[in-house]
Amino acid sequence: MGFKPFLKLFAFAGGVGCLVGSAGISAGMKSLDDSALAGISGQSGLTMELDLGLTAGRLSYFDDGNGLHLEDFRVGSATDPTGQAFHLVRVDITEDASLNLNYLVEDRRVEFGDIRLAGAPEVSMGGVFFDHSLEGYLTIRQGGALGGSGYTFDTAYTMTGGRLGYRTNGNELFLDNITMNVEALGVTLDVVGNTLTLDAPRIMGDWQVGAIRYSSNPLNHGVSLDSTTGQPLPSYGSLSGRYELSSRTNITAGGRAGEGLRIDNETIIHTASFLYRDDGNTLAFRDIEGAYRINDLRLDVAPDWKNRPALALTLGSMDGDFQVGAIEMGANGKSVGQINVSFLLEDQVFNGQNYSNAVFLQGGGHSDAGRQGLRLATEWSLRLADFSYTEDGNRVIFSGLQSWGQGDVTLNVTRNEVNNGTEFFDGLRVGFEGINAGYRVNGLRVGSEDAPLQGGTELLLALGFYPAYEFELDGQVTLGAGGASGEGITVNSDIRIRDGKAAIIAAPYNEGSGEVSQKGLWITELDYNAHVRDMTVDVTEEGLAIIKGEAWSTMDIGNLRVGDKKAGRSFGRFVVQKYETGSSMTVIPGGAGDVCAGGMGNNAGECEASGGIWETRGEEGLTVRLKQVFAKAISDTRKNALLWETNRQIDGAGRAISGTGTQLVLNDIYTSDGGDFDGDGIDDNSFGIRTDLSVDVYRTRVVKKAGGADSLGVVGNRGDEKIMDASAAAGYRYVSNPAAKDAENRPLGFAVKARSQFRELSINNIDLVHPVGGAQTAVYGVKMQNFDIKANLTATPIP
């Protein structure tokens, strides 16, 4: 360890000070006479000035004989690699025996060049650095929450010029220009038995990150400007937020087995906000409140389930509830609505296997990315969660969400290159290796937690959300800095899913009397390869814009089953290939607005005259604009095609053998604008297939389809309207001629207004393929033009 101190005592008016530098001891000590001592007041305190340069080759922590090494430790100047950080501390003791510390820290960097585990010395977790300047105070007085044996703290500080970075193999990602204000009053520290209790009744603060920057230049280290070009490093955008919370933390010695640490925590978020800015456009999460409880979180240096050395974080359980009062985006700050999430992380058995919640931190990352990186052997068990969305006072709940999984997640900061056949991209690479996971949703509830369970999650299939999904996952997603222009995010990804089982439509897995086998329409024996290049994510004046540069995928569905996902009857095998260029999705605040449901008309009078119902669905809601540009085929893997295969041969285990049956193939499907309008000799292809989905939660008209009693015994005539009534036994009644007041109590529904259109969609050829005779073209050249269809769909409970 290198530490070069220099100490000088000196007398000053009103106190005593000391100066610490790095030049070595160079001044003698002089005794103060009685007259000088008489002029010094104890209440005036002690002032210390310190220029600190501290280095250590290794700091080690051992737990049950297992070691964690923090290497190349340094505390010094953030701007000068060989310089020191300035510290000024003033110490006072007040009349009530409180100890007051006022401090100023300027230009300080705290850094670990590498983090290694003793059992895996050949790889490391990478380096971490933290730059900052601080000014604040800390008051310590005797007596905690339980009496005189503890302590009470008051503290507040302002941090400026902050940087927090992660560095692997010469590449780094860091939060730049961090400012922060924190105030925590009445914090108590007590020892209760063998537990250290830290109680913070009120913590307030605000913070801002000026930019999230990325560098692939090894010469750069914790700087905002590239050392080679002098230009600002690319940015993902900026962040800011505020919070007020209360927290209690219990810390106990002892890990999951032997030495270690146990942490229990309860935190209440009274209010908070979180803002992401991209070139001045804001995505804001406002009016956040909630609480969470962490029970039995253990910290050990211990091996994972594959006996690999790791820093282990294992969780007993965690539950919580969060509400976001408004999600705003776009130039006008319009709100999408509110969301609420409640969750319970706890051990649970899924598909006969027990899952817990644990993360085992290891060094290395992806094997081809270099020696530095982070590997997280991860296991999770989301026993139960409800996610609700509220807009204009109406609420829909995605009820009974469960998720489970196990596998490795790797983190590396990478640059654009190919190593050992693996392609890397600029940015933060999140890799997936051997992930075996799944999730399922029980159904929708509209209005409240005790509303009837219903279907409707299939309305989100257009966004790629399945009601249930089980899969094995490998691949990577790399998040690069910079969007379509300026700040933002660029995404490059390669995903491989094996043995997938996804529900297109699914019944509940638990209707209240215990779990049952979930029935539905299933994509099974799924093998899915998907690749995305140069996809950008930006917050724009309109909303959240996602634009794909190039995307291609192959979805090989071994069986499309109905009923049970394993044994249900099969429609056969389907293979769906996609190749898109310039496709996009834009998320816009605000739903459908005014809608004529069941009729035609641009106002209430015209709509009602046509037999429709005029619905004013409010200001909030969500609109998603999808544009899919299907490109012409350029290879067997980059094309749009659909294959349906039946009558396959069966192997010895009773499984169908792909490629042995009769096939119907729609080959080389692509969109077009219908002509060459820019004069380049090639038909334009920029319009694609455009679909607008406007999502609202709204009261809608539900009509009885048959006379007599329904499944809950409520009697009505064909054509009667269903009206919600809390005083009725079943919670509703049927009315033949609803009054205006009745119409206000129509059932709440999950409403989707959709419009799809394209200018031209072509199929190059339609082939019939026989396993013996081979392919024969049945139709050569199909074109569909000027397609425009509108629909209003509402999911409501059906008794």
Side-chain angles (χ1 to χ4, degrees):
M1 176 182 293
F3 182 27
K4 301 176 288 185
F6 157 60
L7 176 66
K8 179 180 179 183
L9 295 178
F10 60 97
F12 68 99
V16 175
C18 73
L19 178 67
V20 179
S22 60
I25 298 175
S26 60
M29 307 281 287
K30 180 180 179 181
S31 298
L32 299 177
D33 56 25
D34 290 342
S35 61
L37 289 172
I40 299 175
S41 170
Q43 292 181 351
S44 297
L46 178 73
T47 296
M48 294 180 290
E49 293 184 14
L50 176 69
D51 288 316
L52 179 62
L54 174 64
T55 62
R58 170 178 288 185
L59 300 178
S60 298
Y61 167 76
F62 292 91
D63 175 347
D64 295 318
N66 301 308
L68 175 70
H69 306 306
L70 307 177
E71 298 186 342
D72 300 327
F73 172 64
R74 172 180 173 262
V75 178
S77 169
T79 56
D80 181 0
T82 62
Q84 298 155 334
F86 175 76
H87 298 67
L88 175 65
V89 181
R90 184 179 181 89
V91 184
D92 291 291
I93 299 177
T94 62
E95 294 180 355
D96 63 354
S98 297
L99 176 66
N100 292 342
L101 303 174
N102 289 275
Y103 54 86
L104 173 65
V105 177
E106 293 182 340
D107 187 34
R108 182 167 69 182
R109 171 170 291 179
V110 180
E111 180 173 11
F112 297 99
D114 253 329
I115 303 173
R116 298 180 187 270
L117 291 159
E122 69 282 359
V123 294
S124 76
M125 298 183 189
V128 178
F129 64 92
F130 178 35
D131 300 345
H132 54 279
S133 294
L134 289 173
E135 184 173 8
Y137 73 86
L138 171 64
T139 300
I140 307 173
R141 56 185 182 272
Q142 186 74 27
L146 302 178
S149 60
Y151 296 91
T152 298
F153 305 87
D154 295 322
T155 185
Y157 65 85
T158 296
M159 184 180 79
T160 57
R163 289 191 184 98
L164 178 61
Y166 177 57
R167 182 178 177 90
T168 69
N169 307 303
N171 312 305
E172 63 185 36
L173 181 78
F174 62 96
L175 308 181
D176 192 19
N177 191 23
I178 305 172
T179 60
M180 183 181 299
N181 296 289
V182 177
E183 181 183 74
L185 306 178
V187 179
T188 58
L189 181 67
D190 296 274
V191 178
V192 182
N194 62 349
T195 300
L196 188 68
T197 299
L198 185 66
D199 192 357
R202 176 178 171 270
I203 303 175
M204 296 181 62
D206 60 80
W207 56 274
Q208 183 171 344
V209 177
I212 308 170
R213 299 196 184 276
Y214 163 80
S215 170
S216 60
N217 185 348
L219 299 177
N220 295 329
H221 184 31
V223 293
S224 304
L225 303 179
D226 188 276
S227 60
T228 302
T229 66
Q231 297 299 311
L233 294 172
S235 171
Y236 293 82
S238 62
L239 306 172
S240 64
R242 295 178 177 271
Y243 59 88
E244 180 178 351
L245 55 85
S246 304
S247 180
R248 169 171 291 193
T249 303
N250 293 326
I251 304 173
T252 310
R256 192 65 61 189
E259 296 177 332
L261 195 67
R262 171 174 175 166
I263 299 174
D264 297 272
N265 173 270
E266 181 175 356
T267 297
I268 300 173
I269 302 173
H270 302 293
T271 182
S273 63
F274 176 85
L275 283 72
Y276 167 72
R277 291 185 176 87
D278 174 0
D279 293 318
N281 299 304
T282 302
L283 172 62
F285 297 82
R286 302 188 187 275
D287 303 326
I288 303 172
E289 59 184 41
Y292 62 87
R293 288 156 292 278
I294 298 173
N295 175 52
D296 194 15
L297 173 64
R298 302 292 181 113
L299 179 66
D300 301 86
V301 181
D304 68 356
W305 58 81
K306 292 184 178 180
N307 205 33
R308 296 172 295 186
L311 177 63
L313 290 87
T314 55
L315 178 67
S317 65
M318 179 178 178
D319 66 280
D321 185 285
F322 295 95
Q323 176 177 307
V324 180
I327 304 174
E328 300 173 357
M329 64 178 72
N332 58 6
K334 192 174 180 180
S335 175
V336 170
Q338 305 174 20
I339 61 171
N340 180 278
V341 179
S342 61
F343 65 92
L344 171 61
L345 291 165
E346 191 175 61
D347 292 2
Q348 175 79 336
V349 176
F350 296 100
N351 296 330
Q353 179 178 341
N354 184 69
Y355 289 88
S356 61
N357 292 282
V359 176
F360 296 84
L361 302 178
Q362 304 164 23
H366 190 277
S367 58
D368 293 333
R371 298 180 63 186
Q372 291 184 315
L374 192 62
R375 179 174 293 270
L376 294 79
T378 306
E379 182 177 347
W380 72 92
S381 171
L382 177 61
R383 183 163 187 166
L384 186 65
D386 285 347
F387 173 87
S388 70
Y389 169 62
T390 304
E391 56 97 359
D392 291 314
N394 301 317
R395 186 182 184 197
V396 61
I397 304 166
F398 295 83
S399 181
L401 172 64
Q402 294 183 323
S403 180
W404 59 94
Q406 185 185 78
D408 285 4
V409 177
T410 61
L411 292 176
N412 295 87
V413 186
T414 58
R415 66 173 65 94
N416 193 6
E417 60 184 355
V418 177
N419 286 334
N420 296 326
T422 302
E423 186 177 11
F424 294 97
F425 305 91
D426 288 346
L428 177 65
R429 184 187 191 276
V430 183
F432 310 100
E433 298 182 9
I435 302 287
N436 195 321
Y439 70 83
R440 59 186 182 184
V441 177
N442 206 28
L444 293 182
R445 299 183 189 273
V446 180
S448 64
E449 289 88 347
D450 56 357
L453 195 66
Q454 64 177 79
T457 54
E458 59 273 8
L459 296 178
L460 298 180
L461 287 172
L463 304 180
F465 179 83
Y466 296 99
Y469 204 175
E470 298 175 28
F471 51 86
E472 297 175 13
L473 171 66
D474 291 285
Q476 64 84 26
V477 176
T478 301
L479 306 177
S485 63
E487 295 180 324
I489 302 172
T490 296
V491 181
N492 290 280
S493 70
D494 301 282
I495 296 295
R496 170 75 185 275
I497 289 176
R498 302 181 309 278
D499 195 24
K501 303 176 185 67
I504 298 175
I505 301 173
Y509 63 80
N510 189 335
E511 293 184 337
S513 56
E515 289 192 15
V516 296
S517 177
Q518 201 168 12
K519 306 297 182 183
L521 179 62
W522 296 90
I523 295 171
T524 66
E525 293 92 69
L526 171 65
D527 195 322
Y528 179 56
N529 275 285
H531 309 271
V532 174
R533 295 292 180 267
D534 297 324
M535 181 174 77
T536 59
V537 181
D538 293 273
V539 181
T540 66
E541 291 185 355
E542 192 175 29
L544 182 67
I546 302 172
I547 303 173
K548 296 179 183 178
E550 184 181 28
W552 68 98
S553 64
T554 298
M555 178 183 287
D556 193 331
I557 302 165
N559 283 287
L560 179 62
R561 297 186 183 276
V562 63
D564 185 81
K565 61 188 173 186
K566 294 182 179 179
R569 293 180 64 85
S570 173
F571 287 96
R573 175 191 178 216
F574 290 83
V575 179
V576 180
Q577 292 180 270
K578 286 187 178 182
Y579 177 47
E580 302 175 61
T581 57
S583 295
S584 65
M585 178 174 73
T586 305
V587 181
I588 303 168
D594 295 338
V595 175
C596 181
M600 299 289 291
N602 295 320
N603 55 57
E606 293 177 359
C607 178
E608 292 170 1
S610 69
I613 299 175
W614 187 254
E615 297 180 347
T616 303
R617 294 185 179 175
E619 294 297 319
E620 294 183 326
L622 184 70
T623 295
V624 180
R625 291 180 180 168
L626 302 171
K627 182 176 75 170
Q628 294 174 285
V629 180
F630 294 148
K632 285 187 176 182
I634 62 172
S635 69
D636 286 339
T637 58
R638 299 191 189 188
K639 66 177 182 179
N640 297 284
L642 173 64
L643 178 150
W644 178 26
E645 182 179 10
T646 61
N647 299 317
R648 291 170 289 174
Q649 296 178 15
I650 305 299
D651 66 12
R655 295 170 299 192
I657 304 173
S658 297
T660 62
T662 303
Q663 300 176 1
L664 172 67
V665 180
L666 282 66
N667 192 39
D668 194 11
I669 306 167
Y670 57 92
T671 55
S672 170
D673 293 352
D676 175 18
F677 302 109
D678 58 9
D680 63 356
I682 303 173
D683 282 357
D684 298 342
N685 190 9
S686 61
F687 190 87
I689 299 175
R690 300 194 178 187
T691 302
D692 291 352
L693 301 172
S694 296
V695 180
D696 295 273
V697 185
Y698 191 73
R699 297 191 179 275
T700 192
R701 183 171 180 251
V702 177
V703 176
K704 200 168 189 303
K705 301 303 181 184
D710 62 23
S711 62
L712 298 182
V714 181
V715 177
N717 298 318
R718 176 183 171 87
D720 286 356
E721 270 200 51
K722 181 179 180 180
I723 301 298
M724 307 307 293
D725 187 345
S727 64
Y732 64 92
R733 54 190 169 85
Y734 290 111
V735 178
S736 57
N737 294 301
K741 188 174 182 180
D742 291 329
E744 295 176 358
N745 292 305
R746 285 172 170 151
L748 276 173
F750 187 42
V752 178
K753 178 185 176 183
R755 181 184 183 185
S756 291
Q757 53 186 326
F758 60 77
R759 292 176 178 172
E760 184 172 282
L761 179 65
S762 301
I763 305 172
N764 189 69
N765 56 287
I766 301 176
D767 292 345
L768 294 174
V769 183
H770 192 273
V772 178
Q776 296 292 327
T777 298
V779 178
Y780 186 83
V782 176
K783 290 188 181 293
M784 295 172 282
Q785 294 180 328
N786 299 324
F787 179 90
D788 191 347
I789 187 170
K790 301 176 183 178
N792 263 304
L793 306 173
T794 306
T796 56
I798 301 177

